[in-house]
Amino acid sequence: MRAPPSDLPIRFDDVTVSAGAVTVLDRVSLSIHAGAPTILIGPNGSGKTTLLRLAMGLIPPSLGRVTWDGVAQVPPIKRAIVFQRPVMLRRSAAGNIRYALAAAHIPKEQHDARIMELMALVGLLDLAFRPARRLSGGEQQRLALARALARDPTVLFLDEPTASLDPASTKAVEDIVRAIAARGIKVVMATHDLGEARRLAGDVVFLHRGRVVETGDARTFFQSPQTGEAKTFIAGELLL
């Protein structure tokens, strides 16, 4: 499995998203490039999920422009997303992946080999024929990752995939994220866990109140944050 030609960079040019009278994202300008994982951090309600949905192409901006490799309104054929609480289909774990392969128009004769490859990647080969809805929360999250990879995306968006997992399941998901990134697939992931952000990030996007407050290389961000909001958040203090 390797990434096909890319939708990168993804650019947000002065993007605003509003829901009624509420501004969810406020004049965001940002570029997401190929490379190590980009991690979105910030308090609840800061706009992380909305930014992911925009980058995936699931929602349009209210104002401004989003482009993928310089082109607007690109179908999400090369992008995939995993939500915090993925929905499992009423079939086996392998059947969930088979469904995703069919939806991505992967030739049927390739399905069995791809299913085994993806199940091995996420460590679920022994559970391939177990009903997906009987898997544990951590196993379901790993299956959701495998299912998202069925179309060979160039960009994978993850919305707090470890938020409700125990430490062992969290480590398993983080290991898969590293393996995915090592295959040249760009990972853009939202998390509340600063330890996880430190472990995975190549670069960080810090949001607060719908604004991108600070961006940069992960090591520099965590060692020498430039804004008061980032310093407060990293210190674990309440950010109002």
Side-chain angles (χ1 to χ4, degrees), residues 71-157:
V71 181
Q73 298 180 340
V74 177
I77 296 170
K78 302 174 185 175
R79 306 186 294 275
I81 190 166
V82 175
F83 295 106
Q84 184 176 340
R85 296 179 180 86
V87 175
M88 297 289 105
L89 302 177
R90 291 182 180 273
R91 56 195 73 191
S92 68
N96 269 257
I97 299 177
R98 192 178 299 279
Y99 179 90
L101 291 168
H105 305 293
I106 304 299
K108 191 171 183 179
E109 60 270 17
Q110 297 179 20
H111 285 193
D112 287 347
R114 290 292 305 282
I115 289 168
M116 292 301 102
E117 176 192 4
L118 291 167
M119 295 294 279
L121 175 65
V122 300
L124 293 177
L125 265 179
D126 292 343
L127 301 176
F129 301 107
R130 180 172 296 183
R133 295 190 177 188
R134 294 185 185 176
L135 299 174
S136 70
E139 290 163 349
Q140 287 189 3
Q141 195 62 264
R142 285 188 277 155
L143 178 58
L145 287 168
R147 196 170 59 184
L149 293 171
R151 64 171 63 190
D152 273 345
T154 61
V155 189
L156 178 62
F157 302 103

Side-chain angles (χ1 to χ4, degrees), residues 120-228:
L121 175 65
V122 300
L124 293 177
L125 265 179
D126 292 343
L127 301 176
F129 301 107
R130 180 172 296 183
R133 295 190 177 188
R134 294 185 185 176
L135 299 174
S136 70
E139 290 163 349
Q140 287 189 3
Q141 195 62 264
R142 285 188 277 155
L143 178 58
L145 287 168
R147 196 170 59 184
L149 293 171
R151 64 171 63 190
D152 273 345
T154 61
V155 189
L156 178 62
F157 302 103
L158 305 177
D159 191 5
E160 301 193 31
T162 64
S164 58
L165 302 184
D166 59 38
S169 295
T170 294
K171 182 181 184 305
V173 169
E174 289 184 5
D175 288 345
I176 294 166
V177 170
R178 291 188 188 94
I180 291 169
R183 286 165 163 76
I185 298 170
K186 176 67 180 185
V187 174
V188 184
M189 174 175 157
T191 184
H192 279 103
D193 185 337
L194 288 179
E196 182 168 72
R198 291 176 188 268
R199 290 188 294 270
L200 293 177
D203 62 295
V204 170
V205 177
F206 173 57
L207 296 104
H208 181 46
R209 293 183 176 178
R211 296 180 297 113
V212 173
V213 175
E214 189 169 340
T215 65
D217 169 79
R219 180 174 297 182
T220 301
F221 175 84
F222 285 113
Q223 291 182 350
S224 304
Q226 300 300 301
T227 61

Side-chain angles (χ1 to χ4, degrees), residues 15-107:
V15 168
T16 294
V17 175
S18 300
V22 177
T23 299
V24 184
L25 286 179
D26 187 9
R27 302 189 67 177
V28 168
S29 292
L30 176 70
S31 294
I32 297 173
H33 295 274
T38 294
I39 304 298
L40 314 182
I41 61 173
N44 281 332
S46 61
K48 299 185 298 296
T49 296
T50 300
L51 188 65
L52 290 176
R53 290 171 64 85
L54 267 172
M56 180 64 188
L58 297 178
I59 59 173
S62 303
L63 295 170
R65 188 167 183 254
V66 182
T67 58
W68 294 267
D69 194 21
V71 181
Q73 298 180 340
V74 177
I77 296 170
K78 302 174 185 175
R79 306 186 294 275
I81 190 166
V82 175
F83 295 106
Q84 184 176 340
R85 296 179 180 86
V87 175
M88 297 289 105
L89 302 177
R90 291 182 180 273
R91 56 195 73 191
S92 68
N96 269 257
I97 299 177
R98 192 178 299 279
Y99 179 90
L101 291 168
H105 305 293
I106 304 299

